[in-house]
């Protein structure tokens, strides 16, 4: 194939993502990890599934970035996941160092690539990758909003007993407890859920969405990976196919929504050059306050990064 996507981190999210990318026949995949044998073994296993799954994507597993050369997109999932009782923010000291090191290697071999960050705490990790890469803002973005919105959509579909395909949802802000699910812009076949679901049930669904990651960590004792992999795959597909899809992603803001020099989840247009536009919607005072609260939380982590030697 003439399209190559590198996935760094061959753990739960990375390996599942490699599988999704290959099985959708979107691109060749290079899976990189520091642990010897793991990316090689998982790639070989995925390749051996290809005749049955009917795709011709090449999948290479490696510990050496040489094989990642000239990737169109690099998706970084390297780092440690949460354990029960941990917040995403607790991962910052370990994952910042990993993110900086990985980004340096990625940039060396794929200077024209688009970076999609998955490791947590997401918005802060986007800052690390943005600074370490020196890439323009359209080529560095984070996966969070699609995942949070997908969780919101799944809960809406369950509540109303309708197809998930009929649901749309919007979640703005940082990928943390302060995220801002927006019921007003969440619909079932174009009908706002505020017309379909009583307010107390909407509140419960919003709350479950905010805690969607923690709910899974509690059950699994590690963090979620099927839905995160699906969300990252949707971003890669939109870019590879130049779909101009409007999706909520962590983007570097320079004045949009009143925020500066900050990565936060907003609706963007994703196409061949990465983030092609940030879509600004008019928010109510209450929504604005919730977004400002979320931005403050991200700013706090960004400030913390400045004090750290990683
Ligand atoms: N370079 C490459 N790979 C690395 C590095 C590094 N410097 N450091 C760690 N890794 C690899 C680990 O060896 C492991 O295989 O990253 C992988 C992480 O996989 P898991 O532990 O299974 O974690 P996962 O569930 O995939 O989550 C990864 O994504 O969703 C976020 O919060 C999650 O930050 C976490 C990340």
């Amino acid at each position: 194939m003439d399209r190559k996507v590198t996935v760094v981190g061959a753990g739960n999210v990375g390996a599942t993502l490699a599988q999704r990318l290959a099985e959708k026949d979107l691109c060749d995949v290079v899976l990189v990890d520091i642990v010897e044998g793991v990316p090689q073994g998982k790639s070989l296993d995925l390749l051996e599934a290809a005749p049955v799954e009917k795709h011709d994507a090449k999948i290479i597993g490696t510990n050496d970035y040489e094989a990642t050369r000239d990737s169109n997109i690099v998706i970084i999932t390297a780092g440690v996941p949460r354990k029960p009782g941990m917040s995403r923010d607790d991962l910052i000291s370990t994952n910042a160092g990993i993110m900086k090191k990985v980004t340096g290697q990625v940039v060396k071999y794929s200077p024209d690539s688009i970076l999609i960050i998955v490791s947590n705490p997401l918005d802060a990790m986007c800052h690390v990758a943005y600074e370490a890469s020196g890439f323009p803002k359209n080529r560095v973005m984070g996966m969070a909003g699609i995942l949070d919105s997908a969780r919101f959509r799944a809960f809406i579909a369950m509540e109303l007993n309708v197809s998930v395909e009929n649901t749309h949802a919007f979640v703005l802000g940082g990928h943390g407890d302060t995220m801002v699910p927006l019921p007003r812009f969440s619909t079932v076949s174009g009908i706002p859920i505020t017309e379909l679901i009583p307010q107390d049930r909407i509140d419960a669904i919003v709350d479950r969405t905010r805690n969607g990651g923690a709910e899974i960590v509690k059950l699994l004792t590690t963090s979620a990976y099927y839905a995160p992999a699906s969300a990252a795959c949707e971003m890669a597909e939109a870019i590879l196919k130049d779909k101009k899809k409007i999706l909520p992603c962590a983007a570097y803001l320079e004045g949009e929504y009143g925020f500066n020099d900050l990565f936060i989840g907003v609706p963007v247009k994703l196409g061949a050059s990465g983030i092609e536009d940030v879509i600004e919607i008019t928010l109510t005072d209450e929504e604005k306050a919730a977004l400002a609260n979320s931005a403050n939380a991200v700013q706090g982590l960004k400030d913390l990064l400045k004090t750290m030697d990683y």
Side-chain angles (χ1 to χ4, degrees), residues 8-15 32-35 38-39 42 65 76-83 88 91 95 97-99 101-102 118-121 125 143 147 175 222-225 228:
V8 186
N12 284 337
V13 179
V32 187
D33 204 285
I34 35 163
V35 180
V38 168
K42 290 191 179 181
Y65 282 83
I76 304 179
T77 77
V80 290
R82 280 198 276 178
K83 298 250 178 302
R88 294 181 181 93
L91 308 173
N95 285 356
I98 293 173
M99 184 59 62
K101 211 179 301 163
V102 165
V118 177
S119 313
N120 277 309
M125 291 305 105
M143 184 293 293
L147 168 63
H175 187 45
T222 189
S223 55
Y225 47 101

Side-chain angles (χ1 to χ4, degrees), residues 34-177:
I34 35 163
V35 180
E36 283 180 26
V38 168
Q40 292 86 346
K42 290 191 179 181
S43 298
L44 187 58
D45 197 6
L46 284 169
L47 208 58
E48 290 167 1
V52 182
E53 295 297 335
K54 304 181 185 65
H55 68 77
D56 290 299
K58 288 192 199 71
I59 309 164
I60 297 169
T62 180
N63 310 111
D64 179 356
Y65 282 83
E66 174 63 41
T68 71
R69 190 181 287 281
D70 295 331
S71 294
N72 301 86
I73 299 175
V74 178
I75 308 176
I76 304 179
T77 77
V80 290
R82 280 198 276 178
K83 298 250 178 302
M86 284 173 100
S87 88
R88 294 181 181 93
D89 300 354
D90 295 332
L91 308 173
I92 193 164
S93 56
T94 312
N95 285 356
I98 293 173
M99 184 59 62
K100 189 174 176 187
K101 211 179 301 163
V102 165
T103 305
Q105 290 295 312
V106 164
V107 167
K108 191 168 154 200
Y109 290 95
S110 302
D112 300 320
S113 60
I114 289 172
L115 303 183
I116 300 175
I117 310 306
V118 177
S119 313
N120 277 309
L122 193 270
D123 308 272
M125 291 305 105
C126 289
H127 274 282
V128 174
Y130 180 61
E131 271 166 30
S133 67
F135 281 7
K137 62 180 181 178
N138 60 303
R139 289 203 279 126
V140 183
M141 65 198 75
M143 184 293 293
I146 301 173
L147 168 63
D148 297 327
S149 302
R151 287 181 172 146
F152 198 4
R153 291 174 64 189
F155 301 145
I156 292 168
M158 281 158 65
E159 182 74 16
L160 293 171
N161 192 24
V162 297
S163 167
V164 288
E165 288 181 47
N166 287 146
T167 62
H168 280 274
F170 249 116
V171 177
L172 299 184
H175 187 45
D177 306 340

